[in-house]
């Protein structure tokens, strides 16, 4: 039903806008950054051998002509993200929400 679809879309967009405007708690952001860092450092492979998981993670770029080793380098990207968030957590994260979620007209409804 079109009315229900419009109501759901409005609810989602209003909630995203309110969240972007309010910003994020600094402690929660720090906890998420720590979780992300732990995940990329440990590269949890589940039941798959770690070497095979690393290979499969890098193979996607390799088959398209990019350096597979670059896919395993995360230190610089992680430091850049942490630096941007620490410099302006509310503005940076809210800006990402605005750009990729709120201002994005290419969404499926």
């Amino acid at each position: 039903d079109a009315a229900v679809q419009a109501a759901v879309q409005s609810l989602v967009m209003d909630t995203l806008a309110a969240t972007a405007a309010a910003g994020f708690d600094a402690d929660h952001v720090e906890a998420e950054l720590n979780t992300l860092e732990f995940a990329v450092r440990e590269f949890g492979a589940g039941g798959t051998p770690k070497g095979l998981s690393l290979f499969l993670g890098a193979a996607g770029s390799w088959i398209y002509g990019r350096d597979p080793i670059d896919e395993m380098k995360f230190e610089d990207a992680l430091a850049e993200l942490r630096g941007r968030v620490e410099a302006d957590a509310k503005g940076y994260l809210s800006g990402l929400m605005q750009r990729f979620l709120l201002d994005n007209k290419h969404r499926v409804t």
Side-chain angles (χ1 to χ4, degrees):
D1 183 285
V4 173
Q5 176 186 354
V8 169
Q9 181 174 342
S10 177
L11 174 65
V12 169
M13 297 308 289
D14 290 348
T15 302
L16 288 171
T19 302
F24 300 90
D25 181 84
D27 289 337
H28 292 161
V29 172
E30 179 66 24
E32 288 304 317
L33 285 173
N34 290 340
T35 300
L36 174 64
E37 183 173 5
F38 181 79
V40 296
R41 287 188 188 284
E42 292 299 313
F43 197 79
T48 308
K50 189 171 183 174
L52 180 58
S53 292
L54 288 170
F55 169 76
L56 293 173
S61 63
W62 188 18
I63 63 173
Y64 290 105
R66 295 187 307 264
D67 185 351
I69 301 301
D70 287 344
E71 295 298 312
M72 294 182 226
K73 296 178 183 175
F74 59 86
E75 293 288 339
D76 291 342
L78 189 59
E80 180 181 347
L81 175 61
R82 191 173 285 278
R84 287 182 181 192
V85 168
E86 288 173 355
D88 182 17
K90 182 179 178 184
Y92 180 67
L93 296 174
S94 294
L96 291 177
M97 286 185 72
Q98 189 70 43
R99 178 177 173 197
F100 292 110
L101 300 175
L102 295 168
D103 293 342
N104 184 359
K105 302 301 179 199
H106 303 284
R107 57 179 165 264
V108 177
T109 55

